[in-house]
Amino acid sequence: MSDDFNLQESLLSLSDLSLYHIPAEVDIPSQRTSTVDESLSSAIESIVHDPESIVHSQPSTFDVFQSILKYSDSPNITGPILTKLLDVILSSLTSHSNAVSGLVGSQGFQTDDIDAPMVHKQPLEMWAFLLQWFITSAERGAGKSDGGVCPTTTSGRGKKKTTNKNTSSSTSFVWIDQIPFVLGTMHRVLRIPSGRIWRTSSEKESFISCFVKPSYQLAENESYLKNQEIKLGIYKVICLSVKFHGHSFGAQTSIIQNLTYFEHFSEPMAELLSILEKEFDFTQLSEEILRDVSTKTFAHNDVKGPRSFSKFLIKLAELSPRVVAKQMPLLLGHLDSDAHPMRMAVVEIIGLLIRDLSLSDEGDEEQKAKQIKKYFELLMERFLDLNSWVRCKVLTTIIKLCDLPAKFPKQRHQITELTIRTLEDKTSSARRYAIQLLCKLLETHPFGALHGGTLNLAEWQERYDKIEAELAKVDAVELERAKRDVGIVDGEDQDDSQEKDDDEEAEAEDEDEEEAEEVEEDVDGEEDVDGEEDGEGTPKPKAVKKEPKTKKKKPRQSQLDITGIQAEQSTLDPELIHKLRLTKKYYSDALKFINQLEGAIPTLCQLLVSTTKTEVLEAMRFFRIAYEYDLQSNEIGIKTMLHLIWTKDNNSTVPAPTTSNEDGNPTGGATEAGATKGIRANLIDCYRSLYFDVVPDLNAKQQVNRIAKNMIERTYGATLAELTSLEELMRTMMAEGGVHYDVVNKLWQVYSTDQEIPKAQRQGAIIILGMLALARREVVTERVESLLKIGLGHFGMHDLVLARYTCIALQRLGGSAKKVKGSLSDKTMRLPMDNPIFLKLQEIIEHSPKSPQWFSMAEQAINTIYLLGEQPDALCSEIIKDLTVKVFEKSSSTQDTIATTPPQDDDENTNTNNKEMQVESATPPPDSQDDRATPPPENEKKDQIGSFKLAQLVFIVGHVAIKHIVYLELVEREFKRRKDETAKQKAAAKAAEKDSNDLDAVAGNAEDDIGELISGIRERELLFGDKSLLAVYGPMIAGICASPKRYKDSSLRQAATLSLTKLMCVSAQFCESHLLLLFKILETSRDPVVRSNIVIALGDIAVCWGSMIDDNSERLYQGLSDPDQIVKKNTLMVLTHLILNGMIKVKGQLGEMAKCLEDKDNRISDLAKLFFTELSTKDNALYNNLQDVISHLSVGQHKVDEDTFERTMRFIFTFIEKDKQAESLVEKLCQRFRLATEERQWRDISFCLSLLPFKSERSMKKLIEGLPFYQDKLHEETVFRRFTEILAKARANKAANKPETELKEFEAILTEHQAKGLEDQALEADVLRKTKAAKRRAAKRPQAGGRGKKAVTPEDNQDEEMEEEAPPALPQRSTRGAAAKAQPKKAPPPPKPRRGGRRKVVESEDEDEEEDE
């Protein structure tokens, strides 16, 4: 029965087991397990006795095996039965394959015995059929019984592998354990020469498919591929089938299908092809698959397919780069694929091929260099890819290439330039990888061979200049020798030109020789270097080479010194000259690389303040590396980095990314946010490693000196913002124990030394000590005597900056504990007024020499008195009286002439503002110059001294007033604390709750009384009390401010204005009476320092007396149009603070603030962006004022140009995110069309409409409803284009299940109205032209009648035509010339012809213009 077995038909029948017919089928479901086992055992026994019985036995043994497999899912089929069946199948296949191999491989095998292996054909097919069927059943879950327990189930693509365990382990069937044996048997079977047994390809394919198809089926289960033994067994089955049995085409089809439908197949299939190439020397399949892949196309929104094929290509390129390189011309077509994963794959493949070429020792070096150059060109092009992931992949690919031994010098400069350009990429990930690549380029630069690797620009420039000078001498000597050889005599005119030609020829020859002998690392010729040097700012060689020509004449031929010539020739070693030229080229390349990095530092500084954490960390890492390589501009980045100390983050326990971290995976990133320290912690580590950590090879004393020196140097040239950030850094390090006490002692030693040291060094020491004392008060408390002796003694008198910072250090004595809101306790330490500290402070305020630094010093001295003194008002009163005596001890005549002379230069930049008064931009105002003759030097000196003393008095009065307010608040708090303690004691004595409540009420009333008392003192006593000292000076200060012509000294006016604003913060009555004066000064003052101070003070006044400023807020906005940038910035800062904190109301003035978004000063534009960003979070504040902003910028005298308007609106509209706001804006903007008369307004409104998201249907509905308002404006090209953009946006946001009927109708309406508008416009122009032509003809008639007694001749017509053509030349004439010509005639023509002629001229011009149009 089995003689009729047909493998192909049987395989087809397996597709539906219920229809599969078995001639002698055993009814397995109705039999017991033991009966089935007996049937199987008897069948196996017959096979053992006669292997051929599977073909000839009756009843068929084969049918028993088929019956068991057909019902393998039946509970009767247990694990032992399946194990027996599998054993007999595998052993039989092994037996027959060994027999065939023995026949074919025996020595006696002759051509006569060619049919001998055919005996085994049918048995092999039958056993192979059973094996495939068994594998299919096992994958489906055969061997699982109802009573069994399934301990392990692994699902894979809808199929299950089940481990079935019964009561004992001996009865279990674990399929995964059997798979390696099954695959091993397949290997042995596939070793037989199939061509000897199966003569037709169809039969052979059917037999091979019995092994290959199960292999692919097993591979579909991802868990199997994780088992190395199973995975390699599957690979070997497929490889043997492809290599020996013609399965190449089938494998190609299967692999492509698997890559399409199974994503986990990507890398395994690449490994399969690699094994096929390396172990079986069969590359044809790989090549065919690559060709097939190169022809595939993917849509831009296809995800699964491109990702699978891209992984496959990358893995194959890693394992078999030579195979991929052969098909690279075809694969490059995917660089234009719409699917970005394919473009990314090709980019990474290019990197792998470059790596393979550079590491390979085989092949022609020149050919490899050409290939590498071509591949790099392709990578450079992808820097401009539209997709950010592709750009990131390019960067990570090049990062990997930088680690190779080859440095690729020819491409390195271009890579650096493109990377620096990518720092401004719009995508954060691309910018991050660009910084990583710059770090890698810096770490792996090829310029460390000669001088150790540092990249200091000045050092390399000096080296370049030296080598340039040496080469200039060599060139000059060679030129002299060339002249002597040809016998040229110097002194003739043509010598110069001949000399120049020889120079160029010699240079060209040297270049040819250099190009022939250069190694691969050198770039193109010397001429290219010169061209690059000109662009990079390096010296031009030509200028040096011309020097020898002008020094002295060359001796004539008869006067030549033969000995000297021979000596010169012996010194010109060709190898040395060639070495010099290569060194020059080396230096030139290094300079170009350094200049590129220096140019990137400003952009990297901007990235330090990025909102993306990973960018900031990478930028910090760059500056850390750049510091080690000694880049000149690196200091700028390190200073900018310091401000990151204020960043709020909590990730401070995980290591920072200080090492190279390029994994080349754009999706994962090079620095994962969760695996790094926070920005603040990373900054502290960075500064500590750069400046404050110990370094090797130094003893303890040197270590301390180095750290102290670095700390002091951080203060050199530091701005106020940098010092504030440095203070927080030092405080944090000191609090964490990061500053050794030996370093503190060294700083005190520098501060206290009696030796002459630079002022900045001593100042830096006390600045740092004051910062450290914030964390530990003991730093200062133990050295108070030194502070008084040095900072407030002799050194302080001559260095007021030192005195100022000494006062700040003294303030740390009171402690730095921050007051808790609502707390009545005061932990500040107070000192008695007889303490030497106050005596020294009074002395330095009253007796220090005249200096512009006095004001900032006095400010801090008064702060110290009020912070530490128990009764600071008493001491300050004494100081004010002493200063008053000094000012007014002169005669009345001197008082009258005070401040009428021009101030000294030192006084013009006086810093007198404790509220960040800006003095750096102050310039002497024009009205400060004295128009009178210069008085005698004695009087001038007296007047200047008197002016400065008055300024000192005024400044002290103002600052004492503002500090006394703070002191009164402390007094109030102390009263409340005492009352609170008393109330608590009484409450503790009373047990009843009611009594306790009564006492609380009494205490509360007492606190209210105290508050009213203190506020009354502040309002009425300080500036208006009979016994108040400050009340004496209020009118005087106001008088100085109100008389700028009399008091012209700039420092006096600055101090008086500042004091006036401080007094206005004390009393509402004083403020109200002088507010108009303050606004007048703000409008009329020419001193930007005064205006800046007033603007800042108005912010403080608004906090104290909000209603006064709210009524005059429009005057505050005037500062936004101030010509001085500092005044403008301060105005914006004050308004930002007041508006965001709700202290003043916005009354339609946001348009001026919106103008600041496009300011040229980055500080102003950044602050404006911050303001609008914060304002957008305040309910509907921005939305409510948006209409006013649009009107302000688009219409009227404040309008801006269209480009500025569009950039501003594009930024502001990003904050309109709510659908309701967008819908309402659509309606309001459409209504604006109704009143818009100018085309500019139409374009602005339509642009604003196009910025809205149109995510909801209601937005589109509102737009369509507003059609009557803008339908007559659609003929304007820009307006129509904006509405087209809106339509496209609406379509993109439309839900997929919504019809487009409404949008299509709207599009048709838009087009219709545009066409109608264009027709109306053309018709109007045509009517106007015809009207003008009719008027012109009417104007000709009376002119012809007036002349008309003679007939009109053709000559007259010709004259009229000439007259019509003449008017365009009339505008070139001078009116004065025409009048001069008209005067001698004395008989003007009649009025009518003149008017007609004039009208004719104008009309003819209009007609000509229309015809031109």
Side-chain angles (χ1 to χ4, degrees), residues 773-991:
L774 274 174
R776 289 183 59 192
R777 186 163 43 177
E778 295 79 9
V779 172
V780 176
T781 53
E782 300 170 359
R783 302 291 186 105
V784 176
E785 292 182 3
S786 298
L787 291 173
L788 300 183
K789 177 184 176 183
I790 303 296
L792 299 182
H794 173 71
F795 288 102
M797 283 290 183
H798 293 83
D799 184 2
L800 294 185
V801 175
L802 180 68
R804 176 192 173 199
Y805 285 108
T806 301
C807 291
I808 294 175
L810 284 171
Q811 293 170 23
R812 309 296 187 234
L813 292 173
S816 58
K818 293 184 178 179
K819 178 183 177 298
V820 180
K821 187 174 182 180
S823 173
L824 297 178
S825 61
D826 185 7
K827 298 181 180 179
T828 306
M829 182 185 73
R830 296 278 174 178
L831 301 175
M833 299 312 296
D834 57 354
N835 193 289
I837 293 176
F838 301 113
L839 183 63
K840 284 286 188 180
L841 289 172
Q842 181 181 2
E843 181 182 345
I844 200 163
I845 290 175
E846 295 179 359
H847 301 292
S848 57
K850 176 184 176 182
S851 168
Q853 304 296 338
W854 180 90
F855 296 95
S856 58
M857 181 278 298
E859 174 190 344
Q860 294 300 333
I862 296 296
N863 291 347
T864 307
I865 292 172
Y866 268 93
L867 184 67
L868 299 180
E870 290 181 346
Q871 295 175 333
D873 50 332
L875 179 58
C876 290
S877 298
E878 187 179 341
I879 293 172
I880 292 174
K881 290 176 183 177
D882 291 345
L883 290 176
T884 305
V885 170
K886 285 187 177 182
V887 171
F888 294 103
E889 67 185 355
K890 303 295 180 183
S891 63
S892 60
S893 59
T894 306
Q895 296 174 24
D896 294 337
T897 59
I898 275 181
T900 58
T901 55
Q904 290 186 357
D905 293 340
D906 291 341
D907 296 339
E908 292 171 0
N909 293 328
T910 304
N911 180 4
T912 63
N913 186 8
N914 71 310
K915 306 171 187 175
E916 300 182 9
M917 187 180 77
Q918 304 294 329
V919 297
E920 53 270 356
S921 68
T923 56
D927 62 352
S928 67
Q929 302 300 325
D930 193 359
D931 296 330
R932 299 181 293 104
T934 305
E938 297 84 4
N939 293 338
E940 180 180 358
K941 186 174 181 181
K942 289 179 181 178
D943 291 344
Q944 290 175 354
I945 293 174
S947 172
F948 187 77
K949 288 183 177 179
L950 182 58
Q952 287 180 316
L953 172 63
V954 167
F955 178 81
I956 290 293
V957 169
H959 196 57
V960 167
I962 202 74
K963 295 303 294 184
H964 206 70
I965 297 176
V966 181
Y967 180 67
L968 285 176
E969 292 175 353
L970 294 175
V971 171
E972 178 184 358
R973 190 170 66 182
E974 179 63 19
F975 271 121
K976 289 181 179 180
R977 186 186 65 79
R978 292 180 183 179
K979 289 286 185 183
D980 186 58
E981 287 182 357
T982 305
K984 285 181 179 179
Q985 291 173 1
K986 291 182 179 179
K990 301 288 184 179

Side-chain angles (χ1 to χ4, degrees), residues 284-301:
Q284 291 89 331
L285 179 59
S286 302
E287 294 171 359
E288 288 296 330
I289 289 176
L290 289 175
R291 289 192 201 103
D292 202 354
V293 171
S294 67
T295 60
K296 281 189 168 292
T297 56
F298 302 97
H300 71 281
N301 55 355

Side-chain angles (χ1 to χ4, degrees), residues 579-866:
K579 184 178 179 181
L580 286 176
R581 295 194 187 282
L582 289 179
T583 307
K584 176 192 169 186
K585 182 64 185 168
Y586 179 80
Y587 288 163
S588 173
D589 289 348
L591 279 174
K592 184 174 181 181
F593 179 64
I594 295 170
N595 282 318
Q596 285 177 321
L597 292 178
E598 295 281 352
I601 283 180
T603 308
L604 287 161
C605 289
Q606 294 177 5
L607 293 177
L608 278 173
V609 293
S610 169
T611 55
T612 308
K613 177 181 176 181
T614 50
E615 275 184 74
V616 177
L617 293 175
E618 290 298 341
M620 292 170 69
R621 178 170 161 260
F622 172 85
F623 284 113
R624 195 171 186 170
I625 295 171
Y627 176 85
E628 297 171 0
Y629 285 91
D630 198 20
L631 282 179
Q632 268 187 357
S633 303
N634 176 62
E635 192 69 25
I636 301 172
I638 292 179
K639 281 188 174 183
T640 306
M641 189 195 309
L642 184 59
H643 301 308
L644 298 174
I645 191 66
W646 304 105
T647 307
K648 295 180 180 179
D649 52 26
N650 300 317
N651 301 334
S652 57
T653 58
V654 193
T658 56
T659 57
S660 175
N661 47 11
E662 300 82 14
D663 59 355
N665 181 12
T667 57
T671 307
E672 294 295 339
T676 63
K677 282 190 176 183
I679 293 175
R680 177 186 169 95
N682 197 64
L683 170 73
I684 295 173
D685 279 356
C686 185
Y687 259 79
R688 186 176 285 139
S689 65
L690 292 180
Y691 302 116
F692 310 135
D693 271 352
V694 295
V695 295
D697 304 328
L698 291 179
N699 58 36
K701 184 178 180 181
Q702 291 173 330
Q703 300 280 12
V704 170
N705 291 344
R706 171 186 169 273
I707 294 172
K709 176 174 175 287
N710 285 337
M711 285 183 173
I712 293 173
E713 286 178 350
R714 296 310 100 216
T715 65
Y716 292 171
T719 63
L720 178 61
E722 290 168 353
L723 285 176
T724 306
S725 299
L726 182 63
E727 180 180 83
E728 178 65 14
L729 175 67
M730 289 295 170
R731 186 198 66 78
T732 307
M733 289 178 58
M734 190 69 181
E736 294 176 355
V739 181
H740 197 274
Y741 211 77
D742 289 345
V743 177
V744 178
N745 290 334
K746 183 63 183 179
L747 291 171
W748 277 115
Q749 182 182 340
V750 173
Y751 174 73
S752 306
T753 181
D754 294 330
Q755 300 177 358
E756 288 295 331
I757 60 174
K759 287 185 177 181
Q761 193 169 344
R762 198 185 300 269
Q763 292 167 6
I766 192 58
I767 290 172
I768 297 296
L769 287 169
M771 294 174 178
L772 297 176
L774 274 174
R776 289 183 59 192
R777 186 163 43 177
E778 295 79 9
V779 172
V780 176
T781 53
E782 300 170 359
R783 302 291 186 105
V784 176
E785 292 182 3
S786 298
L787 291 173
L788 300 183
K789 177 184 176 183
I790 303 296
L792 299 182
H794 173 71
F795 288 102
M797 283 290 183
H798 293 83
D799 184 2
L800 294 185
V801 175
L802 180 68
R804 176 192 173 199
Y805 285 108
T806 301
C807 291
I808 294 175
L810 284 171
Q811 293 170 23
R812 309 296 187 234
L813 292 173
S816 58
K818 293 184 178 179
K819 178 183 177 298
V820 180
K821 187 174 182 180
S823 173
L824 297 178
S825 61
D826 185 7
K827 298 181 180 179
T828 306
M829 182 185 73
R830 296 278 174 178
L831 301 175
M833 299 312 296
D834 57 354
N835 193 289
I837 293 176
F838 301 113
L839 183 63
K840 284 286 188 180
L841 289 172
Q842 181 181 2
E843 181 182 345
I844 200 163
I845 290 175
E846 295 179 359
H847 301 292
S848 57
K850 176 184 176 182
S851 168
Q853 304 296 338
W854 180 90
F855 296 95
S856 58
M857 181 278 298
E859 174 190 344
Q860 294 300 333
I862 296 296
N863 291 347
T864 307
I865 292 172
Y866 268 93

Side-chain angles (χ1 to χ4, degrees), residues 42-96:
S42 61
I44 292 174
E45 192 174 346
S46 64
I47 293 296
V48 171
H49 291 298
D50 181 12
E52 303 295 331
S53 63
I54 193 172
V55 180
H56 308 296
S57 63
Q58 292 292 337
S60 175
T61 306
F62 184 62
D63 291 343
V64 175
F65 298 148
Q66 288 188 103
S67 299
I68 293 174
L69 290 175
K70 183 176 181 179
Y71 299 102
S72 58
D73 295 336
S74 174
N76 299 342
I77 308 300
T78 59
I81 294 175
L82 290 175
T83 304
K84 284 184 180 181
L85 179 58
L86 180 60
D87 288 342
V88 70
I89 294 173
L90 297 181
S91 59
S92 300
L93 277 172
T94 304
S95 173
H96 286 287

